[in-house]
Amino acid sequence: MEPRFFADCQARVAADLISGRWPMVVLYSLADGPARPGRLREQIGGISQKVLTETLRRLEHNGLVERHRYAEAPPRVEYSLTTAGKDLLVPIRALGDWAAVYADQLPTENKP
């Protein structure tokens, strides 16, 4: 039988876009609309400014988030989801629903 999850298959490319600890969390945090980085850090909790900035840049580079810079003093920056980012919330929410059902059966860092 042939492998179905090739290195260049579209599903794997999509999974790479959101792989890691923070991308899905940041996307989900933007579900209610545009937010400034400080608000995102408060909502998310446990993420450093550096990691948040790196994650937002990666999501922007991948076309899932837009950065809006306002010409004000001091400069103000907000991030919002693109259409692709909004559409990605559907499988992210589905994964969250699945995790809620199976949470007790999933291994965690704290369990042996």
Side-chain angles (χ1 to χ4, degrees):
M1 183 173 184
E2 275 185 59
R4 297 177 188 215
F5 209 57
F6 297 107
D8 62 347
C9 90
Q10 292 172 335
R12 195 158 172 186
V13 171
D16 287 345
L17 291 177
I18 56 172
S19 65
R21 182 175 183 176
W22 298 109
M24 285 195 290
V25 175
V26 172
L27 289 169
Y28 189 78
S29 295
L30 288 167
D32 292 332
R36 297 177 72 178
R39 180 171 162 252
L40 289 172
R41 280 191 68 207
E42 288 173 13
Q43 271 186 307
I44 294 169
I47 187 170
S48 71
Q49 184 62 48
K50 177 185 176 201
V51 171
L52 176 60
T53 300
E54 290 170 354
T55 303
L56 287 165
R57 286 182 183 160
R58 179 178 168 206
L59 293 170
E60 181 183 15
H61 175 78
N62 290 329
L64 301 173
V65 166
E66 291 177 322
R67 181 179 187 263
H68 305 277
R69 185 168 189 242
Y70 298 92
E72 299 174 350
R76 179 170 56 105
V77 175
E78 284 186 340
Y79 291 89
S80 62
L81 296 174
T82 62
T83 300
K86 289 175 187 173
D87 288 347
L88 190 54
L89 290 175
V90 174
I92 289 173
R93 286 184 175 124
L95 185 59
D97 293 343
W98 175 87
V101 170
Y102 293 99
D104 293 338
Q105 299 171 36
L106 299 174
T108 65
E109 292 178 27
N110 298 342
K111 290 183 181 178

